[in-house]
Amino acid sequence: MPELPEVETVRRTLAPLLGETIVSTWGSGKALRLGRPVELERIRTACAGAEVAALRRLGKFLLIDLGQREHSLLVHLGMSGRLRHVHSPRARAPHTHLEWTLKGGGLLRYSDPRRFGSVELVERGREREHPSLRRLGPDPLEDCPDPELFFRSCRTTRRPIKVALLDQSLIAGVGNIYASEALWQARIHPSTPAARLRRPRTDALLQAIGKVLHRALEHGGTSLKDFVAADGQSGSHAHYLWVYDREHAPCPRPECGGSIRRTLQQQRATFYCPRCQH
DNA sequence: AGACAAACCTGTCTGC
DNA sequence: TGCAGACAGGTTTGTC
């Protein structure tokens, strides 16, 4: 579910956790993402008595640094994962897979109905060696990506630019919603082979990605169905989407006069305006 | 290299 | 009303 703006919204709303001490960890024992059973015992040991020292984000991954320990928790929300900071714990909601009890009395709760997400331990300072993080491209919010580098990365693949954007290696954090949004903003047809884009167009795309992600972040992310921040708030950006999930709607460019079309690329919905995207 | 499909798993919506 | 099937914001893996 969550793309960069949603994960960043979660990171920001988790800020009250900073300085809190973890007392204990509870786990459902259910497996999360394929091939990676949750290492509950290792996580328990690493978290017990640890302080939440920092909250970081790399693309769609969240890192919770455990103070005075050499580890960080690496969290991916997959499609339906949620991290909630719960102040007055009630009965455990269904699909809760991990829960960290805090010294102050609250809880950090990870729930994920579809279990496409993951929670694991990584060695701090060496997180980039993790298989999932190794191939991540620059983060559009953190790294001020270099337009020259972005252009050269695009040149390496002839795949459609929409498909290439989802790959996370060109740029980290763009998912299915914001790929369509950024391509509309940059007036680029989603089927254009990435390598065929000339320099001014990759510059425009990189700018559009930054603009789209910042704008979504200002609205607390997109809650199409059930995304909520760590404090339980929904994001309002669904009201401001230009093309995503707007098939047959008029193109938001008043002078264009086109209407939004839906197509499938790699079995994933792509929305675009055939009139102003080339 | 890249197109394509399948895998992980559950909830929700659509159409009959 | 009930049920089957399609579909969903992500990533990984395998085949051709």
Side-chain angles (χ1 to χ4, degrees), chain A residues 95-148:
Chain A
H95 308 301
T96 299
H97 299 298
L98 285 160
E99 238 173 41
W100 293 269
T101 304
L102 306 167
K103 209 172 196 170
L107 280 181
L108 176 62
R109 176 178 284 162
Y110 179 84
S111 63
D112 186 357
R114 291 178 70 181
R115 288 192 266 147
F116 283 10
S118 60
V119 179
E120 55 199 311
L121 279 180
V122 291
E123 214 179 310
R124 185 153 54 255
R126 310 184 69 173
E127 53 268 354
R128 280 288 183 173
E129 294 170 28
H130 186 281
S132 302
L133 302 185
R134 200 164 34 204
R135 296 191 318 263
L136 285 188
D139 188 287
L141 260 53
E142 300 290 316
D143 299 336
C144 276
D146 174 15
E148 173 68 21

Side-chain angles (χ1 to χ4, degrees), chain A residues 248-271:
Chain A
H248 304 315
C251 173
R253 290 191 176 94
E255 73 281 10
C256 168
S259 68
I260 303 308
R261 189 172 293 173
R262 180 187 194 271
T263 186
L264 282 182
Q265 292 179 289
Q266 298 216 162
Q267 283 112 250
R268 313 213 49 200
T270 299
F271 297 85

